[in-house]
Amino acid sequence: MPSDADFMRCALEQAAAAEAHGEVPVGAVLVLDDAIIARGHNRPIAACDPTAHAEIEALRAGGRRLGSYRLNDTTLYVTLEPCMMCATALLLARVRRVVFGAFDPQAGAAGSRTDVFRSYAINHRVDVFGGVLAADCEALLRGFFERRRAGVPDS
């Protein structure tokens, strides 16, 4: 049976794909019954879509795959703590569990900045666990932004 770390490595592959396209390297995989059913990575620049975050891309693909907007009993693995938009979408999709890598003290909505998942305004509850392969996830993001600040062009 694959572990949380195994699935996070798959999300890291998606993050690398985002980076290869000049996007902020965040990746996600959606899992049902220990199998990946959808993948996503950041693509707001390419899609000209501010909502094209890795989580949203994976949720959209998962919905198409399952033929439903309800993603009951799924787990989403994402390399960066979800923002408020993504956290709310995960709640509304009825994802059962969210596992993330790096914490985001600037915009994290799973406990770092705010905690959308603990809101009593929505009746669905999501189990959230952060810090899985955090060092790997943080290193990918840190390297990306260091290169950007140094003016190194995208590959």
Side-chain angles (χ1 to χ4, degrees), residues 5-118:
D6 293 329
F7 287 122
M8 189 60 71
R9 285 185 194 91
C10 295
L12 278 162
E13 290 173 7
Q14 290 299 305
E19 183 174 30
H21 291 97
E23 304 275 2
V24 175
V26 178
V29 296
L30 186 65
V31 173
L32 178 65
D33 298 329
D34 292 324
I36 295 173
I37 62 165
R39 293 171 170 79
H41 60 267
N42 271 6
R43 25 179 261 108
I45 297 167
C48 298
D49 179 355
T51 70
H53 290 194
E55 300 95 323
I56 302 298
E57 294 294 298
L59 290 176
R60 288 174 178 156
R64 286 189 299 270
R65 173 89 183 265
L66 297 179
S68 176
Y69 69 100
R70 297 280 193 213
L71 302 173
N72 298 321
D73 300 319
T74 59
T75 298
L76 184 97
Y77 293 86
V78 61
T79 57
L80 182 64
E81 180 180 358
C83 69
M84 191 174 292
M85 174 186 70
C86 293
T88 303
L90 290 159
L91 279 166
L92 295 173
R94 302 295 196 261
V95 169
R96 180 177 51 86
R97 191 166 171 251
V98 172
V99 179
F100 66 88
F103 288 85
D104 185 353
Q106 293 181 327
S112 287
R113 192 66 161 166
T114 189
D115 196 343
V116 171
F117 295 106
R118 300 291 172 252

